[in-house]
Amino acid sequence: MIMDRELEGLSKELERLIKELKRLRKELERLVKPLQRVTLARQLETLVKKFDRLFKKFERLFKQFERLAKQLKGGRIKHYSSSQKILLVGEGDFSFALCLARAFGSAENMVATSLDSRGSLMRNYSKAMTNLLELETRGCKIFHEVDACVMSYHSDLFFMRFDRIIYNFPHAGYMNGSSSSERSTSQIWCHQNLVRHFFISALAMLTTDGEIHVTHKTSFPFSEWKIVKIAQDVGLYLVSEERFSLLDYPGYENKRGAGICDQTFPVGMSSTFRFAKNYLYY
């Protein structure tokens, strides 16, 4: 595939760059040694330390790139594979769904939904129509005006079962418009209510070994949502909590959705919480 050749070429180019950076580092060290008693040496030592920090950061990014390249070649990306039946809930401009579809090469096992109508998406998101068209070309089933709280009763989803149900950054909207505060008790309750009903609905749509994934901010006040406790209350258990990074999902642009829909927001400290059915609950 063309993508495979491009990834391989880029990987080799990055390897060459790392070797060149290592060579330059040794050259800097060589220059510092004869100047140990000169003021300039201190400046060079500072430069070497800065270089080291930059180099280590580059190495981390390179390792992450290599891991992503392997996932893309194998029809996998992070927690997901093309063999899984996947439902995406509450999509904004559908860029996350498209990211998965591109990694898989096909979206035939994917269903992507949004609370918005197709017309609303067209008005509110600059890339939504382009993303939707590519998803449809790749075989993704797309449904609009799907409420996450009652989606298990949706006529098109009622008989479907999924291996992975994904809801990224759930948000109930703002109760009091622009004057709303994420810290207020009533606002947090609204978010908790959304998550609780989503869990109940998603639970009914899971395969035997399926998982529900919720990506969510973990800093205050979002930590006050207590989504793990809510999940446990409805019959789910936490499989794992893993740090979320946008770098793991090339092309994904997280959107605000409420009010200024097409703007991104800082994800900050966020995790993907993976839940599965707790059979002891039943």
Side-chain angles (χ1 to χ4, degrees), residues 89-99 124-127 131 167-171 215-217 222 244-258 260-270:
V89 180
E91 285 287 279
D93 67 353
F94 286 81
S95 59
F96 188 82
L98 186 56
C99 165
N124 294 327
Y125 299 98
S126 58
K127 297 181 181 178
N131 293 344
Y167 198 172
N168 290 326
F169 302 105
H171 197 281
T215 299
H216 178 58
K217 290 187 177 186
F222 304 97
F244 174 81
S245 172
L246 285 169
L247 293 174
D248 289 330
Y249 300 100
Y252 172 44
E253 296 181 352
N254 55 302
K255 300 295 185 179
R256 289 187 178 275
I260 41 179
C261 299
D262 209 23
Q263 290 188 13
T264 59
F265 58 88
V267 299
M269 294 290 290
S270 298

Side-chain angles (χ1 to χ4, degrees), residues 182-184 188-189 192 216-227 230:
E182 294 287 5
R183 296 169 180 263
S184 75
I188 290 172
W189 181 87
Q192 290 176 320
H216 178 58
K217 290 187 177 186
T218 54
S219 56
F220 181 85
F222 304 97
S223 56
E224 294 302 300
W225 293 22
K226 309 293 185 186
I227 66 169
I230 295 171

Side-chain angles (χ1 to χ4, degrees), residues 3-238:
M3 182 180 288
D4 291 345
R5 290 199 297 270
E6 289 176 347
L7 287 170
E8 187 176 349
L10 183 56
S11 179
K12 288 179 180 178
E13 186 64 31
L14 287 169
E15 285 177 358
R16 285 195 291 271
L17 184 56
I18 283 179
K19 288 179 182 178
E20 181 64 17
L21 285 170
K22 286 180 178 178
R23 188 189 66 76
L24 287 172
R25 183 179 183 278
K26 288 180 180 179
E27 185 67 18
L28 278 170
E29 288 177 341
R30 186 183 65 79
L31 288 170
V32 167
K33 286 179 181 179
L35 298 168
Q36 287 179 353
R37 295 184 180 181
V38 183
T39 306
L40 181 61
R42 293 182 180 177
Q43 296 175 342
L44 283 170
E45 284 176 0
T46 301
L47 182 61
V48 168
K49 288 177 182 177
K50 288 182 179 178
F51 183 91
D52 275 346
R53 286 196 294 270
L54 182 62
F55 180 71
K56 287 175 182 177
K57 184 177 181 181
F58 183 86
E59 275 195 317
R60 286 196 300 271
L61 288 172
F62 177 67
K63 288 177 182 177
Q64 193 166 26
F65 166 81
E66 281 192 318
R67 180 166 51 80
L68 266 177
K70 289 177 183 177
Q71 289 176 343
L72 288 169
K73 288 180 181 180
R76 291 192 60 87
I77 183 166
K78 198 62 178 176
H79 312 293
Y80 313 111
S81 74
S82 56
S83 63
Q84 295 167 340
K85 187 74 174 176
I86 296 174
L87 171 66
L88 297 116
V89 180
E91 285 287 279
D93 67 353
F94 286 81
S95 59
F96 188 82
L98 186 56
C99 165
L100 299 191
R102 285 174 174 170
F104 301 158
S106 167
E108 292 182 357
N109 273 346
M110 290 171 53
V111 177
T113 69
S114 69
L115 181 61
D116 298 297
S117 66
R118 198 174 182 95
S120 178
L121 287 169
M122 189 182 300
R123 290 190 299 272
N124 294 327
Y125 299 98
S126 58
K127 297 181 181 178
M129 289 303 103
T130 304
N131 293 344
L132 285 171
L133 288 172
E134 184 173 343
L135 278 169
E136 289 168 344
T137 300
R138 292 177 180 271
C140 184
K141 295 181 180 66
I142 298 168
F143 303 119
H144 303 293
E145 299 180 84
V146 176
D147 186 340
C149 295
V150 291
M151 61 186 182
S152 59
Y153 297 105
H154 191 280
S155 59
D156 292 307
L157 300 172
F158 189 78
F159 293 106
M160 292 186 181
R161 295 296 177 266
F162 298 93
D163 302 308
R164 298 291 182 270
I165 298 177
I166 306 166
Y167 198 172
N168 290 326
F169 302 105
H171 197 281
Y174 295 112
M175 293 180 61
N176 301 310
S178 59
S179 63
S180 298
S181 170
E182 294 287 5
R183 296 169 180 263
S184 75
T185 304
S186 56
Q187 184 68 55
I188 290 172
W189 181 87
C190 283
H191 293 319
Q192 290 176 320
N193 193 51
L194 165 64
V195 172
R196 180 178 294 104
H197 285 91
F198 160 71
F199 279 146
I200 293 169
S201 199
L203 187 55
M205 304 171 73
L206 277 183
T207 56
T208 304
D209 299 318
E211 293 181 5
I212 297 169
H213 292 189
V214 176
T215 299
H216 178 58
K217 290 187 177 186
T218 54
S219 56
F220 181 85
F222 304 97
S223 56
E224 294 302 300
W225 293 22
K226 309 293 185 186
I227 66 169
V228 174
K229 174 65 165 57
I230 295 171
Q232 291 170 343
D233 288 345
V234 303
L236 294 164
Y237 74 92
L238 181 66

